[in-house]
Amino acid sequence: MAAAATPTVGLTTARTFISSLHKTLMSRAAILSTESKDASMTRLASSSHISLSHSFLQKPNSVILKSKRVVATKAVSSENETSALPGLPIDLRGKRAFIAGIADDNGYGWAIAKSLAAAGAEILVGTWVPALNIFESSLRRGKFDESRVLPDGSLMEITKVYPMDAVFDGPEDVPEDIKTNKRYAGSSNWTVKELVESVKQDFGSIDILVHSLANGPEVAKPLLETSRFGYLAAISASSYSFISLLQNFLPIMNPGGATISLTYIAAERTIPGYGGGMSSAKAALESDTRVLAFEAGRKHKIRVNTISAGPLRSRAAKAIGFIDMMIEYSTTNAPLLKELSAALCYVNSAEEVGNAAAFLASPLASAITGTVLYVDNGLNGMAVSTDSPILEKLHAAKEK
């Protein structure tokens, strides 16, 4: 009888063990289900533990871990579906930018200011003295409000506008006829040295310097007809002015800062009609960018880059006299074809140049210096024009 009772006791013990284990597993399943935010996943986890309870006799731990992984994966997946995707935002909050050469709202300088502001930077502006009153009046009257709108719907704020004439390094360089000129009356401290001192007194330091100014009094003349005065004036206003600004701003620029200037493809390729020494001035600017990148980088940890932008029908560009033809040529022949804007008539958006400048000024470009960045829809890479009759004879492919 004793021998016959042994299997019964063993079976009873096994059943008791299975029942106890089943309750334990059900308890663990309940705990897992409360950790899940997905109700349907809770039911799935619970039913899985019930149906697999027999398997737990051999490998309970591995199954429990697997079930936990399923619940966790589902929870993460659900969370990712509702959260924003990760990215590399351009964050310039806490940075201060000085943009030299803004006199209205339709140039590249304005577009750069907007992009920097959209990224969180504080904006200071330097405006040519004769244009200062009109610019400030337009700001006060809300004339620029529509073009001040940032991506978040707010308006770009310009903390302060400074009078500026970057042709003159200091008061001692200003000739008498300029000192007595009515267009300069009422303004003071507008030479480069005085300007930087004013910014230093007001704000202490800056992080970003943008050079967005150029002038060639004889730009409409072929180079062969350009006078010494016209040639040197173009170099002074369009190229050396950047050296002067950087030279004086460097002592109050925070390490890790950036400077950006604007150049044009005429620095490297022949653009008939872009005369008066302006192509030479742009070539000098690009060469200076490389040299200054070394000097400012080694001494002050400041990056120096320039953007070669496509043609824009800005107020300054109209002085050339054929800007619309250049825009049409670019629109036709650039690798990236874009329709002209009826309002501003540009081949590549000023906003795109502004965004490129924001990138160059940001930590995302911390290893980029001494570079010419082309923002021209790829026109710089073209060796021939696609609308040439010769190419038609050769059956060249065209984008319709």
Side-chain angles (χ1 to χ4, degrees):
M1 293 295 293
T6 302
T8 304
V9 173
L11 181 60
T12 302
T13 302
R15 287 176 177 174
T16 301
F17 172 73
I18 292 174
S19 177
S20 175
L21 179 60
H22 184 72
K23 290 180 180 179
T24 301
L25 294 174
M26 287 296 291
S27 176
R28 291 183 180 181
I31 293 173
L32 288 174
S33 67
T34 57
E35 293 176 351
S36 173
K37 298 180 181 180
D38 192 325
S40 62
M41 195 59 208
T42 301
R43 291 192 298 271
L44 176 61
S46 300
S47 63
S48 297
H49 286 292
I50 295 172
S51 62
L52 294 175
S53 60
H54 180 72
S55 301
F56 294 158
L57 289 172
Q58 296 179 341
K59 298 180 180 180
N61 290 333
S62 64
V63 178
I64 292 174
L65 290 174
K66 181 178 180 181
S67 180
K68 285 183 178 179
R69 284 197 297 270
V70 171
V71 174
T73 302
K74 188 67 177 179
V76 171
S77 177
S78 177
E79 183 178 347
N80 285 342
E81 290 173 0
T82 58
S83 62
L85 291 174
L88 291 173
I90 294 178
D91 188 353
L92 297 177
R93 287 173 296 181
K95 305 297 183 181
R96 183 176 297 115
F98 184 91
I99 298 93
I102 296 181
D104 52 40
D105 64 341
N106 69 348
Y108 282 134
W110 179 271
I112 292 173
K114 282 187 65 176
S115 292
L116 294 178
E122 181 181 12
I123 304 300
L124 309 178
V125 167
T127 300
W128 187 46
V129 181
L132 180 65
N133 289 336
I134 296 177
F135 179 67
E136 289 189 316
S137 175
S138 297
L139 278 175
R140 287 193 303 268
R141 292 187 289 111
K143 184 178 179 181
F144 300 148
D145 282 359
E146 184 177 351
S147 56
R148 285 172 59 200
V149 177
L150 299 177
D152 65 356
S154 64
L155 296 182
M156 173 180 67
E157 295 293 339
I158 297 176
T159 302
K160 188 166 183 177
V161 179
Y162 291 87
M164 179 194 71
D165 194 330
V167 168
F168 304 107
D169 296 325
E172 66 279 4
D173 300 320
V174 182
E176 193 62 31
D177 63 323
I178 295 294
K179 291 179 181 179
T180 58
N181 192 306
K182 293 182 179 180
R183 297 195 298 172
Y184 286 77
S187 296
S188 60
N189 300 323
W190 43 261
T191 64
V192 174
K193 291 179 180 179
E194 294 173 306
L195 163 69
V196 174
E197 183 60 30
S198 296
V199 174
K200 180 180 179 181
Q201 291 178 4
D202 292 339
F203 299 97
S205 65
I206 67 170
D207 303 276
I208 302 165
L209 173 63
V210 178
H211 178 275
S212 178
L213 54 93
N215 183 49
E218 298 180 12
V219 65
K221 291 184 178 181
L223 190 58
L224 278 175
E225 299 176 14
T226 300
S227 68
R228 182 183 297 272
F229 167 80
Y231 186 92
L232 295 178
I235 294 288
S236 175
S238 310
S239 180
Y240 185 79
S241 59
F242 177 57
I243 298 175
S244 179
L245 284 168
L246 182 55
Q247 183 182 93
N248 286 277
F249 265 114
L250 267 179
I252 67 168
M253 288 191 73
N254 295 316
T259 70
I260 302 162
S261 63
L262 290 167
T263 184
Y264 183 46
I265 193 63
E268 305 173 40
R269 305 284 189 270
T270 301
I271 306 292
Y274 192 72
M278 281 303 301
S279 58
S280 305
K282 293 300 185 182
L285 182 64
E286 292 187 9
S287 177
D288 294 341
T289 295
R290 291 183 284 272
V291 177
L292 292 172
F294 172 78
E295 295 180 356
R298 287 295 181 90
K299 294 180 180 179
H300 300 276
K301 297 182 180 179
I302 300 297
R303 295 180 292 108
V304 183
N305 293 292
T306 187
I307 295 176
S308 184
L312 175 71
R313 196 174 185 270
S314 64
R315 179 183 56 83
K318 294 177 184 177
I320 301 175
F322 62 96
I323 185 63
D324 289 337
M325 288 186 287
M326 293 307 302
I327 292 173
E328 182 180 357
Y329 176 86
S330 298
T331 305
T332 304
N333 295 288
L336 297 178
L337 300 178
K338 296 182 180 179
E339 295 182 2
L340 291 174
S341 165
L344 295 180
C345 192
Y346 45 66
V347 60
N348 63 292
S349 168
E351 181 182 358
E352 292 168 328
V353 173
N355 291 341
F359 161 71
L360 289 175
S362 76
L364 297 180
S366 60
I368 300 176
T369 192
T371 295
V372 178
L373 177 63
Y374 298 96
V375 187
D376 62 356
N377 293 315
L379 186 65
N380 69 91
M382 299 299 295
V384 295
S385 59
T386 59
D387 59 351
S388 170
I390 300 299
L391 291 184
E392 290 183 1
K393 295 179 181 179
L394 295 174
H395 305 288
K398 282 190 175 182
E399 184 72 25
K400 298 298 183 181

